[in-house]
Every structure is written in structure tokens, then in C-alpha cells.
Amino acid sequence: MTGASGPGGTPGRAPGGTPGGALLVVGDVVTDVVARHRGPLASGTDTAAVVRTVPGGAGANVACWAARRDGTDVRLLGKVGMDSAAWHERELATSGVRPLLVIDPEAPTGTVICLVDTGASAERTFLTDSGASLRLTPGDWSESLLDGVARLHLSGYLFFSEPCRALVAVAMESARARGVPVSVDPASAGFLTELGVDRFLALTEGIDVLLPSRDEACLLTGLPDPADAAAKLSRHVPLVVVKQGRAGALVARSGEVLARVPAVPATPVDTTGAGDAFTGAFLAALLAGTRPEEAVAEGCRAGARAVEQVGGRPTTNA
């Protein structure tokens, strides 16, 4: 591990409640290759595109957006290959995140090819080589990682590999022992389908906050309406926030949708990382003691900023 856990501080707090302490994100760190093209890809020949290589990964993106909030102590545990460890550590630190990166001696850093159609919706398609990012194991966890931590966030991608699932179990047990609330973003409807809904729900039992997209919420419940899905999920998780993109977000507790927060108007350039931006800003606000509904509004604002730039991390102007 190239970083070190931070100094001791305030232990975990109840969900959504009192400010103080750090946010520890455990998740994926990858290299994104973003190719922006217009219209359908031309099979068997060339398609003109603007291509950029940027740091990414859902977990890392969440951490960087959370760190944008002044005074927020954000730490990230992730695994990278030796090929780009120094670059990723530097990029995280530049964004205000304390990198706690484990170097995998065998696998390279994960890579995601992001194909972004530059039409009106700026929708994207991912080609994912997870590499080292899904090779975290319980041996990479330490109780001291929770020193001074008030909230633990787990990237949903961790649930899609056996070694990472074992790490998740250990991390959640440690968090429970310290009273640190845990949040999860399911991350991928496609991978969630492969894992299985029942298995995911069993693995996340006991978490405090669930942050699915509209598609993920409907998949997890089998219900076509996102509001119904949010309400159903909130019978099992104390706080459920369903991200709906241009339709804003839903806040549900105790089997009831309590708030519908509108989206912030934006002109999309690249929708990569918009959900991560929402999650990061939301968690930072929650950590500061902001009411969940107001924290969701901050998440919507961050999501709008994210779609107006290329890549999943905040830029200096974001």
C-alpha cells in the first residue's frame, strides 16, 4: 500500500447526521480512454473521433467529486498496476483525495474504453478491462483504514468479483463494529444482472444508504416505476436515493418517497461519471451534516457539471 491511513478522529456517525470525520471510498481506479464520435460507428472502416486518456474509475471519481467540497477529508482504497500507479496517485492527490493505493505486481491498471456519441444525448458505451481494480482482497484491508472515518462508501463494482466480495464482507464487518455507516452505489445494471439481484441484496444487507440509478432500482425490485422501486428498496435500506439523470432524483425512506428533487439543466458533452459526481457530492454534503434532501440537490448540481465536461473527474472549472 503506497498511502497510509489518516490520523485518528471522530468515529462513525448515524446515517445522515452529524458532521465530522473522513469519507473512505473503497473502489475501482482505472484509466479511461474517451473516444467522442458523432453518429453510428462505421463497421469495418474508420470513424472520426476525438480521443483523450484520463483517470477514471467509479470509486475514484466519487472520491474526487466528494473532495471538491471544502474541508472534506476523502480517502480512497483501490488497486492499480505498477504501469500507472504513480500517475493515478498524483492525479488523486491533485484532486484533494488521499490515495491509499495497493499496487498489484501481476495485473495492469484497469482500462475502460468510453465510446461517447456527441449527439444531443451524449450517451456512452463502455468496454471494460477491469485489470487490477477488481483484485482487491481481504489482505488489502486493515482496521486502521477506518481511523478517523465517519462514513464508508463501497463502489458497486466491488461486488462483481470474488476477491472484492470477500473484501467487502470484511470492510462491512469492521464498519459495523465501529458504528460507521456504509453506502453503496450499484454501479452497473449489466454486471448486476450477471451477479443476480438476490445475491446483491444479500451482500449489501445492513448498509445505510443505497444510491442506484433508475435502471438499477427497477432491476433490483422488478418494478417498472422508479418511484415504486425506491419505496420498496427503502423498506430494506434506511435511505434510498434513486438517480434519474434528466429527471432528477428520488429520496425514499421507510417505504415512502419523501422528495422528488429536480435535475439542474445542462448541455451534455459527455455523460461519463455523472452518477459518480452525484454520489460524491451527495456523500460530502451528508458528511457535513446536510439534510438528505438538500444533499441530493447538491448531487444534482454536481451531475449537471459533470455532463458538461469530458471524463468522469471534476476539472478545475467544474
Side-chain angles (χ1 to χ4, degrees), residues 124-203:
R124 73 274 193 260
T125 300
F126 296 147
L127 302 175
T128 303
D129 178 354
S130 298
S133 67
L134 296 189
R135 287 165 57 94
L136 280 167
T137 71
D140 298 318
W141 180 258
S142 167
E143 293 284 344
S144 64
L145 287 166
L146 289 176
D147 289 351
V149 168
R151 180 168 290 279
L152 171 65
H153 178 71
L154 303 173
S155 168
Y157 284 104
L158 296 172
F159 295 86
F160 305 135
S161 84
E162 193 57 48
C164 288
R165 284 193 289 272
L167 169 79
V168 163
V170 173
M172 288 181 64
E173 183 180 353
S174 296
R176 270 194 294 270
R178 294 201 184 196
V180 175
V182 180
S183 57
V184 172
D185 186 329
S188 168
F191 285 160
L192 195 56
T193 300
E194 292 180 25
L195 176 67
V197 166
D198 290 343
R199 194 175 184 192
F200 178 83
L201 293 174
L203 289 167

Side-chain angles (χ1 to χ4, degrees), residues 20-246:
L23 169 67
L24 173 62
V25 179
V26 183
D28 45 317
V29 181
V30 305
T31 300
D32 282 345
V33 180
V34 182
R36 300 177 64 235
H37 62 93
R38 180 172 289 278
L41 295 174
S43 178
T45 185
D46 295 320
T47 299
V50 177
V51 181
R52 285 183 55 192
T53 300
V54 294
N61 294 344
V62 166
C64 290
W65 282 97
R68 287 186 74 256
R69 188 184 182 95
D70 288 345
T72 306
D73 180 354
V74 183
R75 309 164 190 181
L76 174 72
L77 174 64
K79 202 161 198 173
V80 296
M82 202 168 293
D83 54 314
S84 58
W87 178 60
H88 277 291
E89 189 167 64
R90 186 169 61 249
E91 290 292 327
L92 288 164
T94 298
S95 292
V97 176
R98 188 184 306 187
L100 309 171
L101 299 185
V102 180
I103 297 177
D104 193 311
E106 299 174 0
T109 300
T111 301
V112 176
I113 309 297
C114 309
L115 305 176
V116 182
D117 188 336
T118 59
S121 65
E123 275 305 322
R124 73 274 193 260
T125 300
F126 296 147
L127 302 175
T128 303
D129 178 354
S130 298
S133 67
L134 296 189
R135 287 165 57 94
L136 280 167
T137 71
D140 298 318
W141 180 258
S142 167
E143 293 284 344
S144 64
L145 287 166
L146 289 176
D147 289 351
V149 168
R151 180 168 290 279
L152 171 65
H153 178 71
L154 303 173
S155 168
Y157 284 104
L158 296 172
F159 295 86
F160 305 135
S161 84
E162 193 57 48
C164 288
R165 284 193 289 272
L167 169 79
V168 163
V170 173
M172 288 181 64
E173 183 180 353
S174 296
R176 270 194 294 270
R178 294 201 184 196
V180 175
V182 180
S183 57
V184 172
D185 186 329
S188 168
F191 285 160
L192 195 56
T193 300
E194 292 180 25
L195 176 67
V197 166
D198 290 343
R199 194 175 184 192
F200 178 83
L201 293 174
L203 289 167
T204 56
E205 186 176 355
I207 66 171
D208 301 85
V209 181
L210 183 67
L211 294 135
S213 68
R214 176 181 56 241
D215 290 345
E216 292 156 2
C218 292
L219 176 62
L220 287 169
T221 59
L223 298 173
D225 183 79
D228 291 341
K232 182 175 180 178
L233 288 169
S234 72
R235 297 187 189 104
H236 307 284
V237 180
L239 177 63
V240 173
V241 176
V242 176
K243 298 173 285 185
Q244 301 191 100
R246 291 182 175 182

